Amino acid sequence: MKTISLAEHSVREVNQLLHDQARELTEPHWRITDHDGRHALACGLDQAIAVDIDGHAGYYCAGMNQQATVNVHGTVGVGVAENMMSGRVHVHGNASQSAGATAHGGLLVIDGDAAARCGISMKGVDIVVGGSVGHMSAFMGQAGRLVVCGDAGEALGDSLYEARLYVRGSVESLGADCIEKEMRDEHWAELRELLAQAGFEADPADFRRYGSARQLYNFHVDNADGG
Amino acid sequence: MDDHTDNWGLRESATFDRNSIREIQRAADTGIYDIRGFGAKRKVPHFDDLVFLGASMSRYPLEGYRERCGTDVVLGDRFASKPLHLDIPVTIAGMSFGSLSANAKEALGRGASAVGTSTTTGDGGMTDEERGQSRTLVYQYLPSRYGMNPKHLRMADAIEVVLGQGAKPGGGGMLMGQKISDRVAEMRTLPKGVDQRSACRHPDWTGPDDLAIKIEELREITDWEKPVFIKIGASRTYFDVKLAVKAGADVVVLDGMQGGTAATQEVFIEHVGIPTLAAIPQAVQALQEMDMHRKVQLIVSGGIRNGADVAKAIALGADAVSIGTAALIALGCNHPRWEEDYKRIGSAAGFYDDYHAGQDPAGISTQDPELAARLDPELAGRRLANYLRVITLEAQTIARACGKSHVHNLEPEDLVALDMEAAAMARVPLAGTGWIPGQGGV
Ligand SMILES: Cc1cc2nc3c(=O)[nH]c(=O)nc-3n(C[C@H](O)[C@H](O)[C@H](O)COP(=O)(O)O)c2cc1C
C-alpha cells in the first residue's frame, strides 16, 4: 500500500498519480492522509484500485468513479460519488447533499445518514444508506436502486422515472408521481442482495417499496373539441 | 391581413391580434401550453439597429481583398493547458442529439471542421457521429446529465457548464415522446416515448461558491487540460458574468432572448430574458471591472444571422459568437424545396418552428429514420461551411472598412445606433449625436 500525505502533496498531484494508474497499474492500494477535508479527492479514477481516505472529505469525493473501490473513513461533503459509472464507494460516516447524484452504475454505501437529494437523477447506480435520507431524495431518479435503512424526508422520489426505492422506516411524504408498490419475490431478492453487498444486517421484510406511478410520463391533452 | 378590398371595414385588433386569438382558441382546445422550437419571434432591439462608421478622413481603411484581417480566436487560456484555437470567431452552439438527428449532428461537425471552428454537444450526450466529424468539440455539462460520462468528458476539447439558455433562462428542457427513439432513450437512460423533462437546476451544486468547487472537480477529472465554459441565458447578465468569472470560468457563453431552442413553452420564449443587444454591454462591463475582458473570453449567441451581426457583437466586446438557428437553416431547415411537406403539417417554408414535434420535412429536428435520411450530412456540411465562410468574409469586409487588421480590433467606438432603445442598450451614441441614453445604471 502506498500512503500519500496531503500535507506534502497537492490534490492535483494525488489525483494525477491515481489517474496515471489507468494507463499503467503500478500500485493497487492507496491511502490518502492529512487532506483536511479537501474537495475533489480521488475523483475521475478509472482503474480497479483501492483507495482509503483517512478522515472527513470535502465535495465530490470519488466523483465519476470507474472501477475503483474508495473507502472514506469519515464524513463526506456534497456529491460523493456523483455520476459514478462503476466500482464501489463506501462512506464510513454521514454524507452531505446529493450523494450519488446522476450516477450510472456501481455501488455507493453510506453507513450513516445522507442529507437532501440523495440519489438525485440517479441513472443506474445502487445506493444503500444505513441511516436516513433527507428531502427530495431520488428526485427524477431514472434507474438503479436506493435502499434506506432509516427514514426518508419529504418528497421522496418526486418525478421519479424507473428507479426503485426501498425504505425501512417512515417516509415523511412522497413526491409527485411516487407511490408505494407491492413487494414481489424479485424485490425481496434484490433487496436482500443489496443489503448483503453493503454489509448491513437489516431484514428485508421490514422494508417497503416505492416507485413511479408513471402518470407524468406524457403531457395530458384534453382535446375538448375532439380534434 | 391582406389589402383586398373585400376586407375593408374589417379591423384587426392590435391587442387581440390574429396570433393572440388563435392562441386562446388553441389553449381552449387542448388544455396545454404551446410548445415550439426556434427563438423569440417578436421584434426586439437588435443588431439591425446599429451601423458601423466606416473609415474616411479621420480613419484609414484597409484594402478589401489584399490586406490582412485576422479572424482567429483563442478560447480558454485562463486556466486550461489546452485552450481552443479556432480559425474563425463563429462557433456552432450546443444542440442536442435527440432534438436533432444524428445526420444533422454529423453535418454540423463536418461544416464546422471544414472552416476550423468548433461544434458543441447538447442535452443528451455525445454521439460518435459528431465526435468523429468535429475537429474541436465542446461537451455540454447540463443539469439533466443525460448521457454524461467521464469517458466523453475526456474525449471533449472543452467543457461547457450550462446554467441557462437565452430562450428560457430559469427553465429546464423538454423532449417530446415522439422524439425519444430507442437510441435516444438508451443514451438518456429513459423509457422510450416519455415526454422527457430536463431539470432546470444542477443536481449537485447550487450557488456560485459550489460551482467553483464543481469546476475544480471537472478540471481535476480532466487533469486541468480542458477549457471550462459557463453558458448563461441573458437576464441579470452583469451579476451572472461576475459570478461566472469568480467561479472559475475560462469562457462565458452568453445567450440572448432571441436564441433558438428545440422545445420550449411559447410564453417562456417570448417573455423571459433580455435581448442579446442589451446583454452584451452588461457582460463586457462586468469583465472589464474585473480586469478580465479578453482574458476570460465572451461568446455571444442569440439571433446571429450574418457577418454584420458577427462584427457588431465583436465590436461590442465579444470574442466570438455562436450560432444555432442560422446553422440549421444553412443545413436545410425551412428550405422551400420541402414546401409541400411543410404545408401538409400546417406550416410553410420560412415559418416552420415545430422542432419538438419530430416531423421536420428537412430531416434535421427529427428522429424518424425516413425523414432523417433526407439530410445528406456531407452535402449539408458543405452548405454550412459555405455559409460560415460567407459570414466570416462579411465580418472581415466590415472590419477592413473600419481600418482593422483583426476583427477583434473592432470596438464600440466604431458603432452608432439608429434608435434610442438600441443606443441605450448597446451603449453607443444615437447616430449623428454624441448621446448615449440611459447611462448611469447597471
Ligand atoms: C434545435 C436546438 C437545440 C438546442 N439544444 C440546446 C442544448 O441542448 N443545450 C443548450 O445549451 N442550448 C441548446 N440550444 C440553444 C443553442 O445552444 C443556442 O443557445 C441558440 O440556438 C443560439 O441562438 P440562435 O439560434 O439565434 O443562433 C438549442 C437550440 C436549438 C435551435
Side-chain angles (χ1 to χ4, degrees), chain B residues 185-256:
Chain B
E186 197 197 322
M187 274 179 74
R188 299 185 187 216
T189 327
L190 284 170
K192 197 182 168 194
V194 298
D195 289 333
Q196 169 256 293
R197 295 146 292 156
S198 302
C200 64
R201 294 195 308 254
H202 280 262
D204 55 356
W205 61 269
T206 38
D209 294 332
D210 283 5
L211 176 56
I213 305 171
K214 172 50 73 178
I215 288 177
E216 183 189 328
E217 183 210 7
L218 294 172
R219 291 194 193 279
E220 279 298 324
I221 288 173
T222 54
D223 297 333
W224 289 74
E225 285 178 353
K226 317 212 185 273
V228 175
F229 298 13
I230 295 182
K231 176 173 179 175
I232 53 175
S235 56
R236 295 180 181 84
T237 307
Y238 171 78
F239 299 103
D240 288 346
V241 169
K242 284 208 161 176
L243 292 170
V245 173
K246 179 174 173 279
D250 293 301
V251 174
V252 174
V253 181
L254 172 62
D255 192 26

Side-chain angles (χ1 to χ4, degrees), chain A residues 12 15-16 19 44 59-60 63 66 78 82-83 98 104 123 140 142 161 217-219 221-224, chain B residues 29-30 32 144-146 148 150 154 176 188-189 193-195 197 203-205 210 214 217 220 223-224:
Chain A
R12 181 77 287 271
N15 281 333
Q16 190 66 59
H19 293 175
Y59 283 35
Y60 311 128
Q66 285 170 287
V78 171
E82 64 87 16
N83 216 89
S98 305
H104 292 247
K123 300 179 199 309
M140 287 178 108
Q142 295 170 228
Y161 289 104
Y217 275 16
N218 293 98
F219 292 115
V221 174
D222 166 16
N223 283 310
Chain B
D29 284 347
T30 64
I32 186 168
S144 73
R145 310 274 166 88
Y146 288 134
M148 211 301 297
R154 293 187 191 103
M176 309 307 279
R188 299 185 187 216
T189 327
V194 298
D195 289 333
R197 295 146 292 156
D204 55 356
W205 61 269
D210 283 5
K214 172 50 73 178
E217 183 210 7
E220 279 298 324
D223 297 333
W224 289 74

Side-chain angles (χ1 to χ4, degrees), chain B residues 37-39 92-97 99-100 121-124 140 142 160 162 164-168 179 231 253 255-256 258-263 301-304 322-328 355 365:
Chain B
F38 220 83
I92 305 301
M95 293 182 275
S96 64
F97 168 67
S99 76
L100 300 185
T121 65
D123 211 357
Q140 284 202 330
L142 295 114
E160 181 168 302
V162 179
Q165 235 179 282
K168 46 176 170 178
K179 291 178 85 172
K231 176 173 179 175
V253 181
D255 192 26
Q258 301 100 308
T261 172
S301 60
I304 302 283
S322 199
I323 58 167
T325 305
L328 301 186
Y355 295 168
S365 58

Side-chain angles (χ1 to χ4, degrees), chain B residues 85-158:
Chain B
H85 291 262
L86 306 182
D87 295 339
I88 65 169
V90 185
T91 68
I92 305 301
M95 293 182 275
S96 64
F97 168 67
S99 76
L100 300 185
S101 67
N103 279 354
K105 289 299 278 177
E106 178 180 339
L108 292 171
R110 285 178 179 273
S113 299
V115 297
T117 192
S118 61
T119 182
T120 312
T121 65
D123 211 357
M126 184 189 286
T127 63
D128 293 340
E129 288 91 338
E130 68 179 334
R131 177 62 282 189
Q133 294 303 333
S134 303
R135 196 185 79 175
T136 307
L137 181 61
V138 182
Y139 189 45
Q140 284 202 330
Y141 188 73
L142 295 114
S144 73
R145 310 274 166 88
Y146 288 134
M148 211 301 297
N149 65 66
K151 180 174 145 218
H152 287 157
L153 203 64
R154 293 187 191 103
M155 281 165 68
D157 299 295

Side-chain angles (χ1 to χ4, degrees), chain A residues 114-132:
Chain A
R117 301 181 188 85
C118 178
I120 183 170
S121 291
M122 53 197 284
K123 300 179 199 309
V125 67
D126 290 323
I127 304 176
V128 186
V129 182
S132 300

